[in-house]
Amino acid sequence: GLNVDYQWQVSKDGGNTFTDIANDPVFTGANSPVLSVNTYGINDSLLYFRCVANGCLTSKTTDVAQLSIGKANAEDFLPNVFTPNGDKINDTFILKEEGLDLIEISIYNRWGQLVYSHSGPDIAWDGNCNGNSMPAGIYFYLFKSVFTCTNKQVEINGTIQLLR
């Protein structure tokens, strides 16, 4: 096979200047055909990448590829409507998300009475409180968690609509 040396490069200024990438906790495969990027280590939301391949007869630089990293909002993990009507579709208010630890949730009715609370992963409220079906309507939640990778604490409150 051909003897080719690969060097991945990154630009943080919109593609104006590129610097060589070294293998570190964020980048692996800096000198291989495939670069792996651990987005948890990247603070910049917009990066450009290219690879320079040097062979015995020629040197080629790939087209520039753009990587756009969106910021995940904890709200994205929480649905806003569920229908506990027994049809096996969307019957529970479920939160299952990798990367979250120490999950706590409290759900209150419109009078401020606690109707559901849970600590730990795999939150699943079936719309009942003490064995009684809660009426259709808007419920309020308080959600607390810690992102595993950053130890950032998250506290969110919002509403969930229960439809029957």
Side-chain angles (χ1 to χ4, degrees):
L2 297 174
N3 186 11
V4 178
D5 294 323
Y6 297 94
Q7 178 60 62
W8 282 92
Q9 298 178 331
V10 63
S11 172
K12 297 181 181 181
D13 62 4
N16 293 320
T17 58
F18 284 85
T19 56
D20 287 352
I21 293 173
N23 289 321
D24 61 20
V26 176
F27 301 110
T28 53
N31 303 110
S32 75
V34 178
L35 178 71
S36 296
V37 181
N38 175 1
T39 58
Y40 288 126
I42 294 179
N43 294 323
D44 301 274
S45 61
L46 188 60
L47 299 175
Y48 292 83
F49 292 92
R50 70 182 185 188
C51 185
V52 178
N54 289 304
C56 59
L57 299 176
T58 184
S59 176
K60 297 266 187 200
T61 301
T62 64
D63 289 339
V64 174
Q66 175 182 329
L67 175 65
S68 178
I69 302 166
K71 302 295 184 196
N73 294 316
E75 291 94 337
D76 295 341
F77 307 138
L78 295 166
N80 59 5
V81 175
F82 77 114
T83 57
N85 56 13
D87 67 357
K88 306 265 192 271
I89 300 170
N90 203 23
D91 278 342
T92 51
F93 174 59
I94 295 178
L95 169 64
K96 289 185 181 181
E97 181 59 40
E98 292 182 13
L100 295 177
D101 280 340
L102 303 174
I103 296 171
E104 294 178 23
I105 192 164
S106 300
I107 300 176
Y108 302 88
N109 66 16
R110 62 183 176 180
W111 297 282
Q113 297 166 319
L114 182 67
V115 296
Y116 177 81
S117 64
H118 180 82
S119 295
D122 298 336
I123 292 169
W125 182 43
D126 61 3
N128 293 326
C129 177
N130 297 325
N132 297 317
S133 294
M134 294 289 95
I138 302 293
Y139 291 79
F140 304 89
Y141 63 79
L142 177 61
F143 170 81
K144 296 179 186 176
S145 187
V146 174
F147 281 100
T148 310
C149 59
T150 62
N151 270 339
K152 180 181 176 189
Q153 294 188 7
V154 179
E155 189 170 305
I156 297 166
N157 53 50
T159 59
I160 177 81
Q161 185 172 5
L162 189 160
L163 299 176
R164 292 203 180 270

